[in-house]
Amino acid sequence: MAEEEERVLQEEFRWLLLHEVNTVLRQLQTVLQECSKWFLLPGSTEACLVKAEKYLLTSATGADNVKAVITLYGDNICTADMSVKIHRHSTQNFRTSFREGLQWKLQAIQNAANHLQAALDHVTSIEQGYLFQTGEEVVKVMDDIMGRLNRGRDCLTTPRKRTLEELYSSKIMKMFSPALPNEVIVSFHIHCHKLVLGAYQVHPLQSSSQKPKTALPAIYHPTGSVFELSSQKYEVVQANKVEVAVPWLNDVITYFTVGLQLCQQLKDKITVFQQYWKD
C-alpha cells in the first residue's frame, strides 16, 4: 500500500472513530428510546405509550371452537372472557374468565423489555464525544449491544417453548372462574406481532403396549400430541388456536431490527478498513 493511500485511510479511519461512531450511537439511542416507549420500564423518563386495549382473538380458518376477548396492558393480560367448545358425548360451550384481580403475565414481552433496557443502558453509558481508540473497541461495543437486541427480538419472534406437562400442572390453569374442566388446557403466548391463545382438550390414554410419541416443547401443540403426568399419559384430542395482531408489537420488532442494522453497518465499515491493512 502506497504511503499516500495509507495516510488517507488513516485520516478517514480516525474521522470514523471520532465522528461517525458517535453519530451512530446517538441514532441508536434515539431508536431504542422510541422502542422503550412501548414498554413499562421502571425509572424511564420517556413518554410512555402503553395503554389498556381490548382485542378479539379469532381463528384464521374461521372456526368458532374457541372465542376470546382480552384486555392487554403492556406485558399483562388484565381480563379475558373465553368460550370453548368441549367435545364429550355432546358438544358443550364452556364460558369462563379470569378471577377478579388475577392477570396473565406475558413473559416474552417482559423479557424483551429487559434486553432492550440493557442495550439502552449500554448506549447511554458511553459519554457523548468519547473517542474510541481502535476498531476492535468499537466492534466489541457493537457486538455487546447486538447480542442484547438479538435476544430481545428473539423473545418475541421465537418465544420460549412450553411442554404440555408444564401447562397442565401450572398454577395459571387455576386462575379461571368458573374453573376450567380437567380435560381443558389453555395457553396465551406472543408469536412475532401476534397474541395467540391455544386451547387443548385432552383425554387420558389407557395402558397399551404401543407407546405413542411424547410431545416436545412447542409454541402450539397439534391434535395427537401426547404427554405424561404422574405416570398417566394424556393425548390431545382437540387443538384450537385463535389469535390477533397487536400493532405496537410490530413496531417494537421493527425498532429492534433497525437498531441491529445500525450496529451491523458500523461494524461493516470498521471491517473494510481492517481488511485493507490486513491485505
Side-chain angles (χ1 to χ4, degrees), residues 79-148:
T79 65
D81 295 297
M82 302 187 312
S83 66
V84 182
K85 286 186 177 179
I86 301 176
H87 300 275
R88 292 172 176 157
H89 298 298
S90 60
T91 301
Q92 298 177 349
N93 203 31
F94 177 78
R95 295 179 181 275
T96 188
S97 57
F98 289 171
R99 288 160 55 191
E100 187 175 355
L102 297 183
Q103 301 181 352
W104 189 298
K105 169 74 75 174
L106 293 166
Q107 196 59 48
I109 295 178
Q110 178 64 66
N111 292 343
N114 292 340
H115 291 301
L116 172 67
Q117 183 69 72
L120 186 54
D121 286 346
H122 193 153
V123 173
T124 54
S125 71
I126 301 171
E127 185 179 350
Q128 190 164 352
Y130 171 76
L131 175 58
F132 286 84
Q133 299 299 314
T134 65
E136 288 78 6
E137 185 183 4
V138 177
V139 169
K140 185 177 185 299
V141 170
M142 293 299 107
D143 282 342
D144 182 84
I145 295 170
M146 290 178 71
R148 299 176 191 277

Side-chain angles (χ1 to χ4, degrees), residues 48-66:
C48 186
L49 298 175
V50 178
K51 59 182 179 179
E53 295 178 305
K54 278 192 175 294
Y55 291 99
L56 171 64
L57 284 71
T58 57
S59 169
T61 65
D64 63 351
N65 289 317
V66 178

Side-chain angles (χ1 to χ4, degrees), residues 10-103:
Q10 290 284 4
E11 289 180 358
E12 289 180 353
F13 187 59
R14 182 170 177 77
W15 185 91
L16 184 149
L17 292 178
L18 181 60
H19 298 288
E20 190 163 352
V21 172
N22 277 278
T23 297
V24 171
L25 285 171
R26 299 290 73 81
Q27 291 172 341
L28 185 58
Q29 182 175 348
T30 298
V31 168
L32 301 188
Q33 285 173 336
E34 287 299 312
C35 186
S36 72
K37 293 178 181 179
W38 292 107
F39 294 103
L40 296 169
L41 297 177
S44 175
T45 58
E46 296 299 318
C48 186
L49 298 175
V50 178
K51 59 182 179 179
E53 295 178 305
K54 278 192 175 294
Y55 291 99
L56 171 64
L57 284 71
T58 57
S59 169
T61 65
D64 63 351
N65 289 317
V66 178
K67 295 178 181 177
V69 177
I70 65 96
T71 303
L72 179 64
Y73 180 68
D75 55 8
N76 283 313
I77 300 176
C78 304
T79 65
D81 295 297
M82 302 187 312
S83 66
V84 182
K85 286 186 177 179
I86 301 176
H87 300 275
R88 292 172 176 157
H89 298 298
S90 60
T91 301
Q92 298 177 349
N93 203 31
F94 177 78
R95 295 179 181 275
T96 188
S97 57
F98 289 171
R99 288 160 55 191
E100 187 175 355
L102 297 183
Q103 301 181 352

Side-chain angles (χ1 to χ4, degrees), residues 249-268:
L249 282 175
N250 193 55
D251 292 341
V252 164
I253 293 171
T254 299
Y255 282 125
F256 272 111
T257 302
V258 170
L260 285 165
Q261 289 172 342
L262 285 170
C263 293
Q264 187 61 54
Q265 288 166 2
L266 182 58
K267 278 186 63 178
D268 290 344

